[in-house]
Amino acid sequence: MTRVWKWNRPVTVREVLEDLQQERSIAYTTVMTVLDNLHQKGWVRREAEGRAYRYEAVSTRAAYAAALMNDAWSQSDNPAAALVAFFGMMSDEQRQALRDAVRIVQGPETGEAPQAPRAPQEENPGSAGETAGR
């Protein structure tokens, strides 16, 4: 999938093979089998071009990662515990990305900074902290 996403266009088995062979030795039939499996799983679509197929990603890499996370999470018998364990594995950068994502999903109204809690009316209204701001 990485190679298909990299080009962001329909690719042939031969193109993927030639790209992979720059890094390691791999057989044409191996690449063909992997792309066929990805097609059967619905991750790529293909169109015939002569005697070959052109394969194209059905979704983005981000959507693929999200689907994998959702699948793993939904298989847990304790989703909350699974999330806590997952968050514990995250780097500071990943946790910040999560916070940013939650703000985006919640929208601008709920993403605002929380208001400071109000002091109950019964407290001493003449204290320095309350009169200084008035």
Side-chain angles (χ1 to χ4, degrees):
M1 281 304 302
T2 299
R3 304 303 166 137
V4 176
W5 285 317
K6 176 179 142 183
W7 282 306
N8 198 29
R9 64 168 175 79
V11 295
T12 64
V13 172
R14 176 74 53 204
E15 289 173 314
V16 175
L17 173 71
E18 289 172 0
D19 191 40
L20 288 169
Q21 284 180 333
Q22 293 177 15
E23 298 171 15
R24 64 182 183 272
S25 178
I26 190 167
Y28 181 93
T29 54
T30 301
V31 177
M32 183 176 64
T33 299
V34 169
L35 285 169
D36 185 59
N37 288 342
L38 290 170
H39 176 258
Q40 289 179 23
K41 290 179 179 184
W43 289 106
V44 296
R45 64 178 142 258
R46 67 183 182 194
E47 274 191 43
E49 184 176 281
R51 293 180 10 188
Y53 286 109
R54 283 207 172 265
Y55 294 87
E56 182 177 20
V58 169
S59 66
T60 65
R61 187 178 201 139
Y64 175 73
L68 288 175
M69 289 186 287
N70 186 56
D71 185 49
W73 185 49
S74 66
Q75 292 181 33
S76 173
D77 61 347
N78 187 340
L83 283 174
V84 169
F86 179 62
F87 296 157
M89 294 179 207
M90 292 177 147
S91 68
D92 289 339
E93 294 81 18
Q94 290 170 323
R95 280 191 289 276
Q96 185 58 51
L98 176 64
R99 286 185 206 98
D100 294 343
V102 168
R103 277 190 219 102
I104 290 168
V105 170
Q106 288 179 336
E109 290 179 20
T110 57
E112 295 175 3
Q115 297 281 329
R118 283 193 157 162
Q121 296 292 1
E122 295 86 347
E123 288 188 4
N124 182 0
S127 70
E130 288 199 22
T131 56
R134 292 187 185 165

